[in-house]
Amino acid sequence: MKAYMRRRLWLVTVLALLLAACGDGVLNNPYTAADDGKNILYSAFLERPKHLDPAQSYASDEAVFTRVIYEPPLQYHYLKRPYQLAPLTATEVPQPREIEGGKFTVYEIRIRPGIRYQPHPAFNPRHQALDRKTIEILRSPYDLPDLATRELVADDYIYQIRRLAHPRLHSPIFGLMADYIVGLREYSERLKKLPEVGAWLELRSYPLGGVERVDSHTFRIKLKGRYPQFVYWLAMPFFAPMPWEAEKFFHQPGMVAKNFTLDWWPVGTGPYMLMENNPNARMVLERNPNYHGEPYPGEGEPGDAAQGLLADAGKMLPFIDKAVYSREKESIPYWNKFLQGYYDASNITAENFDQAVRVAVDGDATLTPEMETRGIGLRTTVAATVYYLGVNWLDPVLGGSSERSRKLRQALAIAVDWEEYLSIFYNGRGIVASGPVPPGIFGFRAGAEGINPQTHEWKDGQARRRPLEQAKKLLADAGYTDGRDAKSGQPLVLYLDATARGPSDKAQFDWWRKQFAKLSIQLEIRETDWNRFQEKLRKGSQQLFIIGWSADYPDPENFMFLLQGAQSRVSKQGENAANYTNPEFDALFERMRNMPSSPERAQIIDRMTDIYRRDVPWIGGFHPKNFALFHAWLANEKPNEMADNVLKYLRIDGKKRAAMRLAWNAPVLWPVALIALLLIITVVPAVMAYRRRERMTAKAT
């Protein structure tokens, strides 16, 4: 048979086999077919986690893992809002006890007996002295035989607090904690003076005076003065327990070369354990077989029951056996895989907003018909975050408390249309900030009583930005009629320092220039990288700047301190990037910061907010709104801005997911079938003709 005939027959055969192979399953499934229908959650991460050691980890992309592996004494209630602390390993939320007339405050924490660590080789004594050859052939610490465990005790929490002062760990909260925990700063200085003997520093040999062991399951932390917000830190991984065996195990020679460290392989008592860590591609959490269990909450916000969020009340956590996180460096592939059912939930970005959400005239967001047809759900929440346009209080033109500069700032606060900014660049995913405190935090005011009267009026049941004419009058009162300095006659030129991110910056920069041009003010934008931007903030060489802050804990102190004089970035290297100072504001802050949340505290916050609005150290800002989409097979999904331990509350219907994936990703076979049919139509006659010629040739011979 000639070559071209053989090629046609081969192609027909391949097409037939392909059609047969497509009978079951889908061709684009990125996961193992054997896992279809199983109790596995599939998600993704964009940024590679850098630290999984609880003494160092502080980033949100790391918290997804650390919050379900480690267990600090406290956690946030999953469903209740405003956010409330609840016991995790502790028997109760500890109450502060003042001693020596308020000179010190003591927190006594009682840990529940019977909690055990995940299975790990560190708890087997014979794995504490491994030879290098054994370590070299390991792919994972869990390749070692005879994993062991032990009970969680108070000494593990004490050991971790000592690690915050470890000279080689550089914990990001050491400076703050050293200001409060008795003896912590001195403890760090003592450790620095120790000779370098081996790789492991045996912290058990060096007691810390401010942390005391009461018994095997109880310990006390002694603070200087009053710091009511300290209890919130007890819900963060910084105060999770660390078994000394784990730290010693990973300090054996040869471990670091294999990436066998606490930064790579965390050890905890939580519901999950990290069993695969390839941060460039995939990370896998599996159920901790030693987990002590915890009931799903039985109460929440009004409306939670109607949304099915209380259907699992009282059932033991966690519900999911395994969670697979894949690295996605770009948002578009992440979104497409979500639509195909290969990720169980997804955030909404500017690129896919219009495909997913419709915004009504009144601002309410609803899903598009495409999303509703797929059974996708939507939940929104305003983040405990504020982004703002800051003014450098040290600047001779915009800064300071003179009436001239204050009126200039007030004029700009009216002119800069944050509502428009959110509409254009965020698809409306946010609310305009009327003060430093975001929704969900004590002290936030909503509705008519919450508007900023300097920039808005309450009309027809909503806040409306004041007319531009009022801004122009304030500008003239400041001595800049039509954007010109009345003294010099020169046009007013202001400077905005901004970090360069990409091509989309141009549209935003043009928008900022237009906002200032409303008042005939020329805005010069100075682009820079993040490191240079931070250097300018430290030196106070900026005039205007854009920056944000997300809550460490749900307390107004964590936002109001951004405007405290003692937190000035230039003079104190604090978080007050505007270098704002006002004696009345600072005095009120000192009164408010250590008060329990009460009507009196709310009144003080109101007064501080009024001062902020009058002085305008920030030319407004906004609180972003997070939109979360989830498939119909994912239950109990509720955004929680304070906690990242949501995995243990989620439930998956694996069989429903497998069926819907198959329906959404079934291969389109008719083009293949049509091509095969056409080939058959052309090949069969040709084969028959060829055979006839062969037979005739044979007879002739």
Side-chain angles (χ1 to χ4, degrees):
M1 187 179 294
K2 292 183 179 180
Y4 80 93
M5 293 297 299
R6 288 195 295 269
R7 285 196 297 269
R8 287 191 176 185
L9 285 173
W10 175 83
L11 184 57
V12 171
T13 303
V14 169
L15 288 170
L17 291 173
L18 183 60
L19 286 168
C22 291
D24 296 311
V26 294
L27 298 177
N28 64 344
N29 191 345
Y31 310 116
T32 304
D35 287 339
D36 285 351
K38 289 188 177 180
N39 188 21
I40 302 173
L41 179 131
Y42 294 99
S43 188
F45 59 100
L46 301 176
E47 298 295 331
R48 168 180 172 163
K50 295 179 180 178
H51 296 291
L52 298 179
D53 184 332
Q56 297 178 283
S57 178
Y58 207 0
S60 58
D61 55 313
E62 299 161 356
V64 172
F65 304 100
T66 58
R67 291 292 182 107
V68 295
I69 296 172
Y70 297 111
E71 290 190 302
L74 307 178
Q75 64 181 338
Y76 289 97
H77 194 285
Y78 182 53
L79 300 177
K80 289 183 179 180
R81 304 292 184 273
Y83 297 104
Q84 296 182 23
L85 288 172
L88 183 51
T89 61
T91 57
E92 61 184 358
V93 177
Q95 299 300 312
R97 178 170 58 88
E98 295 183 4
I99 60 175
E100 298 185 33
K103 184 178 180 181
F104 299 102
T105 302
V106 174
Y107 286 87
E108 184 168 293
I109 302 159
R110 173 75 179 172
I111 302 302
R112 288 190 287 123
I115 297 174
R116 294 185 301 153
Y117 283 97
Q118 66 181 67
H120 197 274
F123 299 115
N124 188 328
R126 69 188 181 93
H127 293 322
Q128 290 289 354
L130 298 171
D131 59 78
R132 282 184 176 270
K133 286 187 177 181
T134 300
I135 295 174
E136 286 174 0
I137 63 174
L138 294 177
R139 296 169 300 172
S140 158
Y142 300 105
D143 289 344
L144 290 165
D146 302 323
L147 306 183
T149 187
R150 70 162 172 82
E151 186 182 14
L152 170 69
V153 292
D155 283 326
D156 300 328
Y157 286 96
I158 295 172
Y159 191 84
Q160 170 63 8
I161 296 172
R162 293 174 183 174
R163 294 182 77 242
L164 299 179
H166 198 300
R168 294 194 293 270
L169 290 179
H170 307 293
S171 176
I173 68 162
F174 168 73
L176 175 64
M177 291 299 118
D179 290 339
Y180 289 104
I181 298 178
V182 172
L184 189 63
R185 194 177 304 279
E186 296 77 9
Y187 186 75
S188 176
E189 293 301 319
R190 181 186 179 191
L191 295 180
K192 289 177 183 177
K193 295 176 182 178
L194 294 174
E196 293 281 344
V197 180
W200 181 49
L201 181 57
E202 170 57 288
L203 295 179
R204 290 179 301 165
S205 302
Y206 303 97
L208 171 60
V211 185
E212 174 191 2
R213 180 185 187 273
V214 178
D215 57 43
S216 61
H217 291 85
T218 311
F219 66 102
R220 296 191 186 111
I221 302 175
K222 186 178 180 182
L223 305 182
K224 304 170 191 174
R226 298 181 179 91
Y227 184 35
Q229 292 78 21
F230 178 76
V231 70
Y232 294 117
W233 290 99
L234 296 178
M236 300 182 73
F238 294 114
F239 287 86
M242 177 57 65
W244 65 267
E245 298 96 330
E247 191 173 58
K248 184 180 180 182
F249 172 82
F250 286 120
H251 274 91
Q252 296 181 78
M255 286 285 187
V256 174
K258 298 282 292 185
N259 281 328
F260 293 166
T261 66
L262 285 170
D263 253 348
W264 207 272
W265 295 102
V267 181
T269 61
Y272 293 95
M273 47 196 290
L274 187 64
M275 296 301 294
E276 182 180 335
N277 186 0
N278 180 358
N280 290 319
R282 193 172 108 133
M283 301 178 72
V284 178
L285 294 167
E286 293 185 11
R287 184 192 292 262
N288 173 9
N290 295 340
Y291 184 56
H292 52 85
E294 175 188 357
Y296 186 91
E299 55 183 345
E301 286 186 288
D304 281 352
Q307 296 181 51
L309 289 168
L310 295 177
D312 289 320
K315 297 179 182 178
M316 296 305 290
L317 304 175
F319 299 126
I320 292 171
D321 295 331
K322 182 178 178 180
V324 176
Y325 296 86
S326 303
R327 177 83 183 272
E328 292 287 358
K329 297 181 180 180
E330 298 179 3
S331 60
I332 298 302
Y334 191 162
W335 174 248
N336 289 335
K337 290 178 185 178
F338 168 73
L339 293 181
Q340 292 169 329
Y342 296 126
Y343 291 135
D344 299 315
S346 173
N347 292 326
I348 300 178
T349 64
E351 291 85 356
N352 53 48
F353 185 87
D354 291 337
Q355 185 180 357
V357 174
R358 294 180 300 183
V359 179
V361 177
D362 59 2
D364 288 342
T366 58
L367 289 168
T368 60
E370 178 187 356
M371 300 297 109
E372 291 178 343
T373 300
R374 290 173 175 263
I376 291 173
L378 168 68
R379 297 199 199 281
T380 65
T381 182
V382 178
T385 298
V386 60
Y387 289 102
Y388 59 89
L389 175 62
V391 174
N392 182 7
W393 206 249
L394 305 177
D395 181 75
V397 177
L398 274 175
S401 56
S402 69
E403 194 67 14
R404 176 184 174 96
S405 60
R406 181 183 293 116
K407 287 184 180 296
L408 173 56
R409 294 191 299 269
Q410 290 174 350
L412 291 172
I414 294 174
V416 175
D417 191 339
W418 287 98
E419 289 87 355
E420 183 180 275
Y421 179 87
L422 289 170
S423 176
I424 295 174
F425 300 110
Y426 277 75
N427 304 104
R429 291 174 295 133
I431 65 170
V432 175
S434 59
V437 179
I441 306 296
F442 181 83
F444 173 80
R445 300 284 189 182
E449 65 175 357
I451 67 167
N452 181 352
Q454 298 286 344
T455 59
H456 288 76
E457 301 173 287
W458 189 260
K459 289 185 177 181
D460 302 324
Q462 59 182 317
R464 297 184 182 275
R465 186 165 292 275
R466 288 188 175 276
L468 189 62
E469 287 70 23
Q470 295 188 23
K472 290 180 178 180
K473 183 180 184 305
L474 286 167
L475 189 67
D477 292 344
Y480 297 101
T481 303
D482 295 327
R484 287 185 175 271
D485 190 328
K487 296 179 180 179
S488 66
Q490 296 297 314
L492 178 59
V493 181
L494 299 178
Y495 298 90
L496 170 63
D497 282 286
T499 54
R501 295 168 298 180
S504 62
D505 288 341
K506 184 181 183 303
Q508 291 205 30
F509 292 162
D510 289 343
W511 183 87
W512 281 110
R513 293 187 186 98
K514 289 177 182 177
Q515 300 304 299
F516 283 69
K518 294 175 186 176
L519 301 177
S520 301
I521 296 173
Q522 182 179 341
L523 180 68
E524 297 288 343
I525 297 177
R526 301 184 292 204
E527 297 183 55
T528 184
D529 61 31
W530 177 251
N531 291 334
R532 175 62 179 154
F533 177 74
Q534 288 293 329
E535 183 181 353
K536 285 188 173 186
L537 294 183
R538 285 193 296 270
K539 293 181 177 179
S541 60
Q542 84 284 10
Q543 189 176 57
L544 290 162
F545 60 97
I546 301 172
I547 202 168
W549 178 265
S550 294
D552 290 310
Y553 42 83
D555 190 90
E557 180 266 350
N558 196 230
F559 287 90
M560 288 300 190
F561 91 123
L562 298 173
L563 297 165
Q564 182 197 15
Q567 282 286 332
S568 170
R569 180 67 58 88
V570 171
S571 62
K572 304 293 184 181
Q573 294 303 302
E575 297 298 341
N576 180 356
N579 303 300
Y580 171 66
T581 179
N582 180 299
E584 184 185 1
F585 185 96
D586 289 347
L588 291 169
F589 178 83
E590 291 300 329
R591 285 180 57 194
M592 179 276 301
R593 68 184 306 175
N594 293 328
M595 292 177 65
S597 294
S598 62
E600 182 184 359
R601 194 185 195 206
Q603 289 178 1
I604 295 174
I605 293 170
D606 288 342
R607 177 56 188 157
M608 295 173 70
T609 303
D610 287 341
I611 295 171
Y612 155 84
R613 291 168 175 168
R614 182 199 66 201
D615 284 353
V616 200
W618 301 347
I619 312 295
F622 69 97
H623 308 296
K625 183 183 289 187
N626 294 331
F627 285 65
L629 298 175
F630 57 97
H631 283 295
W633 56 76
L634 179 65
N636 301 334
E637 206 285 336
K638 182 176 182 178
N640 189 313
E641 292 296 317
M642 286 295 111
D644 291 291
N645 63 346
V646 298
L647 176 61
K648 66 181 179 181
Y649 301 102
L650 301 180
R651 182 165 44 79
I652 288 284
D653 186 337
K655 292 182 179 179
K656 184 175 184 178
R657 175 176 58 194
M660 296 184 78
R661 277 183 184 173
L662 183 61
W664 294 342
N665 298 280
V668 181
L669 301 180
W670 68 263
V672 179
L674 180 59
I675 293 171
L677 179 60
L678 291 174
L679 285 171
I680 290 171
I681 291 172
T682 59
V683 169
V684 170
V687 171
M688 294 176 65
Y690 174 81
R691 288 182 175 177
R692 282 197 300 270
R693 286 196 298 270
E694 289 292 313
R695 285 196 296 269
M696 291 175 64
T697 302
K699 290 178 179 179
T701 57

mmCIF file of all heavy atoms in Angstrom, residues 16 72 95 138 155 198 213 218 300 346 369 415 428 458 475 478 489 563 583 590 594 601 607-608 630 651 676 697 700:
data_model
loop_
_atom_site.group_PDB
_atom_site.id
_atom_site.type_symbol
_atom_site.label_atom_id
_atom_site.label_comp_id
_atom_site.label_asym_id
_atom_site.label_seq_id
_atom_site.Cartn_x
_atom_site.Cartn_y
_atom_site.Cartn_z
ATOM 1 N N ALA A 16 -10.397 7.271 15.786
ATOM 2 C CA ALA A 16 -11.325 6.301 16.389
ATOM 3 C C ALA A 16 -10.948 6.029 17.840
ATOM 4 O O ALA A 16 -11.808 5.957 18.724
ATOM 5 C CB ALA A 16 -11.311 5.011 15.577
ATOM 6 N N PRO A 72 -2.602 28.982 68.586
ATOM 7 C CA PRO A 72 -2.410 29.864 69.737
ATOM 8 C C PRO A 72 -3.521 29.624 70.754
ATOM 9 O O PRO A 72 -4.479 28.893 70.472
ATOM 10 C CB PRO A 72 -2.477 31.261 69.119
ATOM 11 C CG PRO A 72 -3.263 31.085 67.867
ATOM 12 C CD PRO A 72 -2.977 29.693 67.370
ATOM 13 N N GLN A 95 -8.612 37.098 81.381
ATOM 14 C CA GLN A 95 -8.901 38.475 81.746
ATOM 15 C C GLN A 95 -7.676 39.113 82.397
ATOM 16 O O GLN A 95 -6.973 38.468 83.171
ATOM 17 C CB GLN A 95 -10.082 38.531 82.716
ATOM 18 C CG GLN A 95 -11.374 37.960 82.137
ATOM 19 C CD GLN A 95 -11.820 38.693 80.891
ATOM 20 O OE1 GLN A 95 -11.864 39.934 80.857
ATOM 21 N NE2 GLN A 95 -12.151 37.938 79.841
ATOM 22 N N LEU A 138 16.455 11.708 52.307
ATOM 23 C CA LEU A 138 15.073 12.026 52.638
ATOM 24 C C LEU A 138 14.487 13.028 51.638
ATOM 25 O O LEU A 138 15.146 13.977 51.239
ATOM 26 C CB LEU A 138 14.981 12.617 54.046
ATOM 27 C CG LEU A 138 15.329 11.709 55.234
ATOM 28 C CD1 LEU A 138 15.256 12.504 56.533
ATOM 29 C CD2 LEU A 138 14.387 10.520 55.298
ATOM 30 N N ASP A 155 4.725 24.666 78.864
ATOM 31 C CA ASP A 155 6.116 24.969 78.538
ATOM 32 C C ASP A 155 6.311 25.237 77.047
ATOM 33 O O ASP A 155 7.234 25.966 76.659
ATOM 34 C CB ASP A 155 7.021 23.809 78.967
ATOM 35 C CG ASP A 155 7.261 23.797 80.473
ATOM 36 O OD1 ASP A 155 7.334 24.896 81.056
ATOM 37 O OD2 ASP A 155 7.370 22.708 81.055
ATOM 38 N N GLY A 198 27.393 25.510 68.528
ATOM 39 C CA GLY A 198 26.462 24.689 67.763
ATOM 40 C C GLY A 198 25.401 25.541 67.094
ATOM 41 O O GLY A 198 25.373 26.765 67.213
ATOM 42 N N ARG A 213 5.740 29.691 84.477
ATOM 43 C CA ARG A 213 5.006 28.419 84.468
ATOM 44 C C ARG A 213 4.332 28.230 85.813
ATOM 45 O O ARG A 213 4.973 28.290 86.863
ATOM 46 C CB ARG A 213 5.973 27.268 84.208
ATOM 47 C CG ARG A 213 5.319 25.885 84.171
ATOM 48 C CD ARG A 213 6.388 24.819 84.026
ATOM 49 N NE ARG A 213 5.850 23.485 83.825
ATOM 50 C CZ ARG A 213 5.500 22.648 84.806
ATOM 51 N NH1 ARG A 213 5.639 23.023 86.084
ATOM 52 N NH2 ARG A 213 5.022 21.446 84.521
ATOM 53 N N THR A 218 -0.716 25.503 82.728
ATOM 54 C CA THR A 218 -1.023 26.899 83.038
ATOM 55 C C THR A 218 0.248 27.736 83.025
ATOM 56 O O THR A 218 1.283 27.299 83.532
ATOM 57 C CB THR A 218 -1.699 27.024 84.417
ATOM 58 O OG1 THR A 218 -2.771 26.097 84.513
ATOM 59 C CG2 THR A 218 -2.217 28.437 84.637
ATOM 60 N N GLY A 300 -24.365 32.765 65.308
ATOM 61 C CA GLY A 300 -23.625 33.723 64.495
ATOM 62 C C GLY A 300 -24.399 35.002 64.348
ATOM 63 O O GLY A 300 -25.107 35.428 65.271
ATOM 64 N N SER A 346 -13.045 31.537 44.641
ATOM 65 C CA SER A 346 -12.191 32.517 43.976
ATOM 66 C C SER A 346 -12.563 33.915 44.420
ATOM 67 O O SER A 346 -13.742 34.214 44.663
ATOM 68 C CB SER A 346 -12.330 32.413 42.447
ATOM 69 O OG SER A 346 -11.626 33.456 41.794
ATOM 70 N N PRO A 369 -26.098 36.307 35.233
ATOM 71 C CA PRO A 369 -26.814 35.065 34.916
ATOM 72 C C PRO A 369 -25.869 33.883 34.700
ATOM 73 O O PRO A 369 -26.207 32.749 35.059
ATOM 74 C CB PRO A 369 -27.570 35.424 33.629
ATOM 75 C CG PRO A 369 -27.770 36.901 33.714
ATOM 76 C CD PRO A 369 -26.548 37.433 34.392
ATOM 77 N N ALA A 415 -12.437 67.990 46.778
ATOM 78 C CA ALA A 415 -12.225 67.853 45.334
ATOM 79 C C ALA A 415 -11.899 66.433 44.903
ATOM 80 O O ALA A 415 -12.325 65.988 43.830
ATOM 81 C CB ALA A 415 -11.110 68.805 44.892
ATOM 82 N N GLY A 428 -16.298 49.634 41.996
ATOM 83 C CA GLY A 428 -17.165 49.895 43.138
ATOM 84 C C GLY A 428 -16.898 49.008 44.333
ATOM 85 O O GLY A 428 -17.694 48.992 45.288
ATOM 86 N N TRP A 458 -25.695 64.754 53.987
ATOM 87 C CA TRP A 458 -26.639 63.629 53.962
ATOM 88 C C TRP A 458 -27.926 64.091 53.285
ATOM 89 O O TRP A 458 -28.659 64.926 53.804
ATOM 90 C CB TRP A 458 -26.919 63.150 55.379
ATOM 91 C CG TRP A 458 -27.694 61.864 55.412
ATOM 92 C CD1 TRP A 458 -29.029 61.718 55.622
ATOM 93 C CD2 TRP A 458 -27.179 60.546 55.202
ATOM 94 N NE1 TRP A 458 -29.382 60.390 55.568
ATOM 95 C CE2 TRP A 458 -28.265 59.642 55.307
ATOM 96 C CE3 TRP A 458 -25.909 60.039 54.928
ATOM 97 C CZ2 TRP A 458 -28.103 58.273 55.161
ATOM 98 C CZ3 TRP A 458 -25.757 58.676 54.782
ATOM 99 C CH2 TRP A 458 -26.840 57.801 54.899
ATOM 100 N N LEU A 475 -10.180 77.066 49.026
ATOM 101 C CA LEU A 475 -8.881 77.285 48.392
ATOM 102 C C LEU A 475 -8.551 78.782 48.347
ATOM 103 O O LEU A 475 -7.412 79.188 48.621
ATOM 104 C CB LEU A 475 -8.896 76.697 46.983
ATOM 105 C CG LEU A 475 -7.548 76.646 46.249
ATOM 106 C CD1 LEU A 475 -6.604 75.668 46.929
ATOM 107 C CD2 LEU A 475 -7.755 76.244 44.792
ATOM 108 N N ALA A 478 -7.573 80.044 51.636
ATOM 109 C CA ALA A 478 -6.211 79.632 51.972
ATOM 110 C C ALA A 478 -5.160 80.472 51.252
ATOM 111 O O ALA A 478 -3.963 80.329 51.514
ATOM 112 C CB ALA A 478 -6.016 78.158 51.631
ATOM 113 N N GLY A 489 1.920 85.003 43.199
ATOM 114 C CA GLY A 489 1.292 84.945 41.887
ATOM 115 C C GLY A 489 1.623 83.698 41.096
ATOM 116 O O GLY A 489 1.160 83.531 39.959
ATOM 117 N N LEU A 563 -2.224 57.912 63.611
ATOM 118 C CA LEU A 563 -2.214 59.374 63.660
ATOM 119 C C LEU A 563 -1.668 59.902 64.979
ATOM 120 O O LEU A 563 -1.714 61.110 65.233
ATOM 121 C CB LEU A 563 -3.638 59.903 63.440
ATOM 122 C CG LEU A 563 -4.244 59.571 62.067
ATOM 123 C CD1 LEU A 563 -5.750 59.799 62.072
ATOM 124 C CD2 LEU A 563 -3.587 60.391 60.973
ATOM 125 N N PRO A 583 -1.919 67.892 69.898
ATOM 126 C CA PRO A 583 -1.905 67.594 71.341
ATOM 127 C C PRO A 583 -3.223 67.059 71.869
ATOM 128 O O PRO A 583 -3.239 66.136 72.696
ATOM 129 C CB PRO A 583 -1.554 68.951 71.965
ATOM 130 C CG PRO A 583 -0.809 69.687 70.894
ATOM 131 C CD PRO A 583 -1.441 69.253 69.606
ATOM 132 N N GLU A 590 -4.399 58.565 74.349
ATOM 133 C CA GLU A 590 -3.891 57.926 75.564
ATOM 134 C C GLU A 590 -5.028 57.497 76.483
ATOM 135 O O GLU A 590 -4.937 56.467 77.157
ATOM 136 C CB GLU A 590 -2.941 58.873 76.304
ATOM 137 C CG GLU A 590 -1.628 59.116 75.572
ATOM 138 C CD GLU A 590 -0.837 57.828 75.343
ATOM 139 O OE1 GLU A 590 -0.931 56.910 76.179
ATOM 140 O OE2 GLU A 590 -0.140 57.733 74.319
ATOM 141 N N ASN A 594 -6.431 52.259 76.216
ATOM 142 C CA ASN A 594 -6.485 51.177 77.201
ATOM 143 C C ASN A 594 -7.850 50.992 77.838
ATOM 144 O O ASN A 594 -7.984 50.267 78.813
ATOM 145 C CB ASN A 594 -5.438 51.432 78.295
ATOM 146 C CG ASN A 594 -4.025 51.321 77.765
ATOM 147 O OD1 ASN A 594 -3.751 50.549 76.856
ATOM 148 N ND2 ASN A 594 -3.114 52.099 78.326
ATOM 149 N N ARG A 601 -15.906 55.206 75.698
ATOM 150 C CA ARG A 601 -14.827 55.058 74.713
ATOM 151 C C ARG A 601 -15.309 55.480 73.320
ATOM 152 O O ARG A 601 -14.563 56.109 72.559
ATOM 153 C CB ARG A 601 -14.338 53.609 74.684
ATOM 154 C CG ARG A 601 -13.019 53.434 73.945
ATOM 155 C CD ARG A 601 -12.610 51.988 73.831
ATOM 156 N NE ARG A 601 -11.205 51.859 73.453
ATOM 157 C CZ ARG A 601 -10.687 50.820 72.807
ATOM 158 N NH1 ARG A 601 -11.471 49.804 72.450
ATOM 159 N NH2 ARG A 601 -9.407 50.780 72.512
ATOM 160 N N ARG A 607 -14.811 62.075 69.092
ATOM 161 C CA ARG A 607 -14.102 63.350 69.173
ATOM 162 C C ARG A 607 -12.781 63.295 68.402
ATOM 163 O O ARG A 607 -12.428 64.236 67.685
ATOM 164 C CB ARG A 607 -13.846 63.709 70.642
ATOM 165 C CG ARG A 607 -13.039 64.997 70.848
ATOM 166 C CD ARG A 607 -13.684 66.181 70.155
ATOM 167 N NE ARG A 607 -12.811 67.358 70.195
ATOM 168 C CZ ARG A 607 -12.880 68.367 69.337
ATOM 169 N NH1 ARG A 607 -13.798 68.353 68.372
ATOM 170 N NH2 ARG A 607 -12.061 69.386 69.433
ATOM 171 N N MET A 608 -12.061 62.199 68.508
ATOM 172 C CA MET A 608 -10.814 62.041 67.762
ATOM 173 C C MET A 608 -11.073 62.075 66.262
ATOM 174 O O MET A 608 -10.302 62.666 65.491
ATOM 175 C CB MET A 608 -10.141 60.725 68.160
ATOM 176 C CG MET A 608 -9.677 60.674 69.607
ATOM 177 S SD MET A 608 -9.080 59.037 70.076
ATOM 178 C CE MET A 608 -7.553 58.948 69.146
ATOM 179 N N PHE A 630 -17.961 31.191 45.393
ATOM 180 C CA PHE A 630 -17.755 29.792 45.769
ATOM 181 C C PHE A 630 -18.772 28.923 45.043
ATOM 182 O O PHE A 630 -19.902 29.350 44.770
ATOM 183 C CB PHE A 630 -17.858 29.594 47.285
ATOM 184 C CG PHE A 630 -19.166 30.053 47.881
ATOM 185 C CD1 PHE A 630 -20.191 29.158 48.114
ATOM 186 C CD2 PHE A 630 -19.365 31.385 48.202
ATOM 187 C CE1 PHE A 630 -21.390 29.576 48.659
ATOM 188 C CE2 PHE A 630 -20.566 31.825 48.743
ATOM 189 C CZ PHE A 630 -21.577 30.916 48.974
ATOM 190 N N ARG A 651 -16.956 22.660 54.169
ATOM 191 C CA ARG A 651 -17.382 21.294 53.852
ATOM 192 C C ARG A 651 -17.528 21.168 52.339
ATOM 193 O O ARG A 651 -18.006 22.085 51.674
ATOM 194 C CB ARG A 651 -18.700 20.976 54.567
ATOM 195 C CG ARG A 651 -19.207 19.564 54.332
ATOM 196 C CD ARG A 651 -20.294 19.168 55.332
ATOM 197 N NE ARG A 651 -21.284 20.206 55.543
ATOM 198 C CZ ARG A 651 -22.286 20.472 54.717
ATOM 199 N NH1 ARG A 651 -22.420 19.777 53.588
ATOM 200 N NH2 ARG A 651 -23.157 21.422 54.997
ATOM 201 N N ALA A 676 -13.388 12.469 11.130
ATOM 202 C CA ALA A 676 -13.215 11.028 10.933
ATOM 203 C C ALA A 676 -14.126 10.513 9.823
ATOM 204 O O ALA A 676 -13.717 9.698 8.982
ATOM 205 C CB ALA A 676 -13.498 10.294 12.250
ATOM 206 N N THR A 697 -4.002 -6.458 -11.717
ATOM 207 C CA THR A 697 -2.580 -6.626 -12.045
ATOM 208 C C THR A 697 -2.158 -8.069 -11.839
ATOM 209 O O THR A 697 -1.425 -8.668 -12.644
ATOM 210 C CB THR A 697 -1.718 -5.690 -11.183
ATOM 211 O OG1 THR A 697 -2.141 -4.342 -11.404
ATOM 212 C CG2 THR A 697 -0.240 -5.828 -11.530
ATOM 213 N N ALA A 700 -3.490 -10.225 -14.647
ATOM 214 C CA ALA A 700 -2.769 -9.975 -15.915
ATOM 215 C C ALA A 700 -1.430 -10.693 -15.950
ATOM 216 O O ALA A 700 -0.964 -11.119 -17.003
ATOM 217 C CB ALA A 700 -2.566 -8.477 -16.117
#
